[in-house]
Amino acid sequence: MCARLFQSVFAMCLLTLPALAQDEPDTIAPEIGSRVLENYVTPALARFDETSSSLATSLSAACESGSAGDLDAARSGFSDTLSAFAHVSVLRFGPLVAENRFERVFFWPDPRGVTLRQVQGLLAAEEPLPSDLADQSVALQGLPALDYVLFGIGGDALADDARRCNYAVAIANNVAEIAAQLEAAWAEGTSFRVSFISPAADRDPYRSKAEVAGEIVKAAGTALEFARNAELLPALGKTAEKARGKRAPFWRSGQTFAFAAAQIDGVQKLIEAAGFVDGHSDLVNGYGRGMNFDLSHAREALLAVETAPEMAFSAKEDRGRISYATIAMEGAKHTLNGELSGALGLVMGFNALDGD
Amino acid sequence: MEIDRRTFLALAAAATAFRPDRAMAEQEALFLGARLNAGGFEAAVIDATGRDRLVLPLQARGHSFAIDAPRRRAVAFARSPGRFAIAFSIDGKGEPLAFAPPSDRHFYGHGTFTPDGKLLLATENDFEGERGITGLYDATAGFRRIGEFGTGGIGPHEVILLGDGKTLCVANGGILTHPDYERVKLNLATMKPSLSYIDLETGEITEQAELAPELHKLSLRHMTLDRFGAVWFGAQYQGEDDARPPLVGRHRRGEAIELFPGPEATLKALDNYIGSVATDSTGEIVATSSPRGGLAVFWDAQTGRCLGERTLKDGCGIAPLADHRLLGTSGRGAIVRTGPDAPLETVRVNDPGAPAWDNHLRRV
C-alpha cells in the first residue's frame, strides 16, 4: 500500500513543477505555443463560451415557460457545458489559475460537502439572492452547485421554485462570464498570449519554448492526476464496501464518467496539438502514441460504465472499469513525466519537480 | 504505535547499516539529510566533505529532522502526508525507534526538540478537522504522544523554537490537503497563511502575524532564526504564474511582517518558490534556496539587503557551515560550499548515480 501511495504522491507532485529546461532541444516543435493555441486553446475556449452562454439562455427559457421540454433542453445544455469545460480544465495555468477561475467554475474536490451546505443554505434563506455571484463563496458559483440545483432533490420542479430558478440562471451567467474572461485573457495582444507563442528572455512567464513545452507537459500531467486522484479514486475507495459514489463530481447529473472521459480526451488533444504525437521527432511521437494508447483505453473504460455514478463505484463490473481507467491514466502520466519529458529535453530535478 | 511491515524491514536493515566507520568526534560538523539512493529512501548523516557517516533506510520519502544535539539524537520525519517518524542516535548507538501520529493525523515533515530534550514537537494535519496541529511527544518515554496544540491555521509546515526556549513559531502554509486526495490543494481560493507563536507551557497562541490580504496565496513554509532573534521565512506562491510577489521575509515579535523582494532578476529567477531557509554560522546571513530556479540567494539579516546568489541546479538543502559559508545539497547529487563572499566550491559534483538529496539539510 505504501509503495502505491508513495508512487501516486510522487507523481502528484509533478503538478507543481515548472519545467526546468536548460537548453532548447530540437525535439520541441518551434511553433509549439502557436500550435497549441490554435489547435487546442482557442477552440476549447470558444466552445466553453458558446455552451455556457447557451446554457444561460436555455435556463432562462425553462424558468419562464415551466415546460418539461425546456428543462430537458437546459439539462442537456448543462452536459454540453461540462463537456466543454472538461477540455478547458486541462489548461490549468495562466488565465484559468488567475482570479480563482478554476475554483469558481469547478470547486473540487469538496470532501466536506461545502457546496451542498452552502447551496442549500442559499436556497432556504429569506433574503434576496446576491446580486453578483462573483462576490460569493467559490462553492456557490460554478458547475457543482448547478449540478445540485438542476439535478438534486427538487431539481425536477425547478420552474416551480422562482428562487431556485433565478439562482440557476445566475450560476450559468457567472460561468459564461468566466468563459468570456478566459477568452479575453488569451486574446491577441495580451502579454500572456505573446509570451506563450513567442517566449523570450524578457517575457513573462515563458522565457523559452522549452518552458512552454514544460507548461504543456505539466498541464497534461496535472489534468490526469486531478481526474484520477480528486475525481475517481476518492469515490472508488480501497474496497467495494468503501466505495462512495457521492464523492465523485457530477453524480447527480450522471455526468461523472463522461466528464472524466472528456478530460482525458482533452489531454489527448492537447499533446497532439503540441506535436508530441505526430511531430517531427520520432522518439517523442513514440512516447506520445504510447500515452494515447493508454488514454484511449482509459476513456473507453469510463464511457463503458452504464450504471449511475452513485452506484457504479461499488458495482463489480463497473468498479473494474473505473479501476482499470485509473491504472491506465497513471501509466500515461508516467510516460509523460518520464520518457516523453526526457525526449523533449526537459530536465526535471528531484526537488524542483516535487518540492514541499 | 503503528509500524507496518515495510518500516519493520527498514529498521531491521538499519540495524546492520548502523556501523560508523570510526568514532565520531562530537565537535565535528555533521549534517542530516533525506535522500533517494538507488531507488531507496534514506536518512543520512554526512560530514562537511560529503562523506556518509550513517545511513538509515526509510520506508518512504523523508523530509526534515528534529535534532537534539546535546543528546546526540535526531528524529527523521516522513514527508507529508506520511505517517512515520524514526528517532535514532546520530552516532549510530542503539537501535532506531519508529513511531507514528494517531490515525487521524499525519506529519508535515518538520519538528523540533525542546532544549532539555524532554519534548518533541511535530507539525501535523488534523485532516478531518481541517486544522493545523503541533503534536507533542514525550522524548523521554519512547516518543509517546502526550498531547497537541492547535497552530491557529491550516497546513503548518516548519516549526522552530525561539531563543527563549519556550516559544514555538509555526509557519501555517495555509494550504488545505486531505490524504484521501493525495496532495491535491483543496483551498487555494481561500488560503490564509500565517506565522503563529505558541507558548509551550500553555499551548496558547501569543501572537499571530499575517500577510496583506492580496498576498493570501503566498504560502509561508520554511523558517530560520537570525542572530538578532528575528524569524526569517521563505514562501511559495500559489497564485498566477506571471505574478512576482516577494518570497523572503522577516518577522520581529510585535511588528508587522517585512518582505524583501531583492533585485527583480533574482526574484524572477526564484520562480515563485523557496524550498529551504538557513543562516550561516554567525546568523547574520540568511540563505534561501530555490530548486525550481536552481539557485541560492543570500540576505543580510540586519538590513534585508540581497547579498547575491549562487547557481545550484535542483539545489534545495542548505545548512550553516562556517562564518558566511553554508553547505548546500542538490537533487542531482551535488554537495557544495557556498556563500555570498566567495565562489562556490564543489565538494561533490553532479552525478546521476549519486544519492539525490531531498529538500532539507540540517546541521547537527
Side-chain angles (χ1 to χ4, degrees):
Chain A
M1 197 285 283
C2 275
R4 193 190 66 77
L5 179 67
F6 174 74
Q7 254 180 10
S8 74
V9 164
F10 187 79
M12 188 62 205
C13 295
L14 291 167
L15 302 195
T16 53
L17 118 102
L20 291 185
Q22 311 301 325
D23 310 308
E24 295 264 322
D26 60 6
T27 48
I28 297 175
E31 306 299 330
I32 183 168
S34 314
R35 292 176 56 138
V36 167
L37 180 73
E38 192 178 320
N39 298 315
Y40 189 80
V41 178
T42 305
L45 293 180
R47 192 167 143 247
F48 182 42
D49 186 7
E50 191 187 306
T51 53
S52 55
S53 301
S54 156
L55 171 64
T57 311
S58 62
L59 269 170
S60 296
C63 290
E64 213 162 286
S65 76
S67 90
D70 284 348
L71 178 60
D72 285 347
R75 283 175 162 176
S76 149
F78 177 75
S79 306
D80 294 343
T81 305
L82 278 189
S83 160
F85 177 69
H87 278 197
V88 172
S89 74
V90 173
L91 302 169
R92 201 166 177 181
F93 55 88
L96 187 57
V97 172
E99 295 172 28
N100 299 321
R101 290 192 184 104
F102 182 93
E103 289 83 1
R104 290 171 60 206
V105 178
F106 184 32
F107 176 66
W108 196 266
D110 181 13
R112 313 286 293 179
V114 173
T115 302
L116 180 64
R117 201 164 61 235
Q118 293 190 353
V119 170
Q120 285 179 331
L122 184 85
L123 291 175
E126 301 271 310
E127 63 262 30
L129 286 173
S131 57
D132 188 1
L133 268 191
D135 302 334
Q136 302 297 307
S137 150
V138 291
L140 287 171
Q141 293 193 35
L143 299 171
L146 194 50
D147 187 67
Y148 174 78
V149 173
L150 287 182
F151 299 91
I153 297 162
D156 287 339
L158 182 70
D160 301 339
D161 181 343
R163 184 179 178 85
R164 188 166 179 147
C165 234
N166 291 336
Y167 175 44
V169 173
I171 297 172
N173 280 326
N174 184 59
V175 171
E177 169 59 27
I178 294 167
Q181 288 171 8
L182 287 171
E183 283 197 298
W186 275 96
E188 210 164 334
T190 57
S191 62
F192 187 82
R193 178 185 172 120
V194 169
S195 160
F196 192 75
I197 60 177
S198 310
D202 60 347
R203 287 186 177 146
D204 230 0
Y206 309 110
R207 292 162 288 194
S208 66
K209 73 171 182 180
E211 288 190 353
V212 174
E215 188 76 279
I216 292 161
V217 166
K218 184 182 84 168
T222 300
L224 291 177
E225 200 58 42
F226 191 80
R228 178 180 179 275
N229 287 351
E231 294 171 19
L232 299 174
L233 287 183
L236 193 63
K238 288 186 175 64
T239 60
E241 292 68 39
K242 288 186 176 165
R244 283 161 63 196
K246 292 182 178 177
R247 291 183 96 182
F250 309 119
W251 65 269
R252 290 185 179 86
S253 57
Q255 294 295 313
T256 303
F257 304 110
F259 181 71
Q263 287 175 308
I264 294 170
D265 180 61
V267 170
Q268 291 184 277
K269 289 197 161 67
L270 176 66
I271 62 170
E272 279 162 29
F276 299 163
V277 178
D278 288 309
H280 65 279
S281 162
D282 289 341
L283 185 64
V284 170
N285 291 344
Y287 296 129
R289 285 172 197 162
M291 272 186 74
N292 256 345
F293 180 83
D294 278 340
L295 294 179
S296 295
H297 282 100
R299 198 158 44 85
E300 282 158 18
L302 291 176
L303 292 174
V305 175
E306 285 179 356
T307 320
E310 195 180 346
M311 308 303 299
F313 289 92
S314 45
K316 193 177 171 206
E317 216 163 299
D318 286 327
R319 191 175 163 78
R321 291 186 174 110
I322 301 161
S323 182
Y324 169 78
T326 63
I327 293 164
M329 290 158 82
E330 184 73 351
K333 200 187 47 112
H334 278 293
T335 308
L336 174 75
N337 291 329
E339 292 93 341
L340 197 144
S341 295
L344 290 169
L346 301 176
V347 180
M348 296 176 177
F350 182 54
N351 291 294
L353 65 72
D354 201 9
D356 202 355
Chain B
M1 290 293 171
E2 294 171 31
I3 301 174
D4 72 10
R5 190 171 161 277
R6 284 178 61 87
T7 307
F8 176 78
L9 290 175
L11 289 176
T16 57
F18 257 66
R19 286 201 195 110
D21 49 0
R22 66 180 169 88
M24 285 182 279
E26 293 205 352
Q27 63 274 26
E28 185 185 21
L30 292 176
F31 301 84
L32 281 167
R35 64 191 192 183
L36 174 63
N37 189 9
F41 292 99
E42 302 173 339
V45 180
I46 59 170
D47 62 24
T49 69
R51 198 150 65 101
D52 283 356
R53 305 299 289 267
L54 187 72
V55 177
L56 179 72
L58 299 177
Q59 70 182 64
R61 192 167 173 183
H63 191 63
S64 191
F65 300 83
I67 298 172
D68 179 14
R71 280 152 288 274
R72 307 290 295 170
R73 61 182 177 162
V75 170
F77 290 101
R79 164 191 167 83
S80 168
R83 299 190 56 256
F84 68 86
I86 297 180
F88 60 98
S89 152
I90 290 161
D91 304 317
K93 293 174 185 161
E95 299 224 343
L97 171 74
F99 58 99
S103 59
D104 54 356
R105 305 281 186 267
H106 71 69
F107 289 127
Y108 276 109
H110 288 269
T112 186
F113 278 94
T114 49
D116 59 10
K118 288 184 177 166
L119 266 184
L120 171 77
L121 305 125
T123 47
E124 297 174 359
N125 189 7
D126 167 8
F127 44 84
E128 299 302 345
E130 298 190 348
R131 62 190 191 122
I133 291 294
T134 302
L136 310 180
Y137 295 82
D138 184 345
T140 65
F143 293 92
R144 190 170 57 90
R145 198 172 192 283
I146 53 172
E148 63 184 29
F149 299 147
T151 65
I154 286 173
H157 198 70
E158 187 152 13
V159 53
I160 58 175
L161 195 65
L162 300 192
D164 64 6
K166 56 186 186 184
T167 307
L168 292 175
C169 183
V170 178
N172 289 307
I175 300 174
L176 180 67
T177 55
H178 188 291
D180 284 359
Y181 296 84
E182 306 287 353
R183 289 167 59 95
V184 173
K185 295 162 186 163
L186 301 170
N187 69 331
L188 290 183
T190 56
M191 287 173 58
K192 200 178 169 196
S194 62
L195 297 180
S196 285
Y197 293 88
I198 301 170
D199 181 327
L200 252 182
E201 280 175 22
T202 63
E204 197 184 322
I205 295 174
T206 53
E207 184 177 352
Q208 202 159 27
E210 291 176 6
L211 297 164
E214 63 270 22
L215 291 174
H216 83 101
K217 288 190 182 175
L218 196 57
S219 182
L220 307 180
R221 302 178 80 80
H222 296 108
M223 297 180 292
T224 193
L225 273 184
D226 70 17
R227 71 164 288 182
F228 312 104
V231 171
W232 281 76
F233 60 83
Q236 299 171 4
Y237 188 56
Q238 303 293 327
E240 294 92 273
D241 305 328
D242 50 355
R244 300 287 171 199
L247 300 171
V248 176
R250 175 174 65 186
H251 184 244
R252 293 167 165 150
R253 297 294 304 272
E255 296 183 14
I257 286 175
E258 301 167 272
L259 291 169
F260 303 108
E264 197 180 328
T266 302
L267 183 59
K268 193 168 169 178
L270 288 169
D271 207 1
N272 280 337
Y273 188 95
I274 284 175
S276 276
V277 181
T279 63
D280 72 332
S281 308
T282 67
E284 291 172 6
I285 290 173
V286 176
T288 55
S289 62
S290 171
R292 289 193 186 173
L295 76 163
V297 179
F298 305 97
W299 310 82
D300 181 334
Q302 202 156 14
T303 64
R305 191 167 62 91
C306 177
L307 300 172
E309 60 189 66
R310 296 278 179 267
T311 298
L312 181 59
K313 283 179 183 168
D314 202 29
C316 198
I318 193 139
L321 178 65
D323 291 0
H324 295 205
R325 294 301 266 174
L326 293 101
L327 196 69
T329 51
S330 90
R332 299 185 185 185
I335 303 177
V336 302
R337 297 190 188 109
T338 186
D341 305 339
L344 181 141
E345 292 168 70
T346 301
V347 178
R348 300 277 159 123
V349 295
N350 283 342
D351 173 3
W357 291 95
D358 214 313
N359 299 172
H360 301 297
L361 187 70
R362 299 287 179 217
R363 170 105 183 233
V364 173

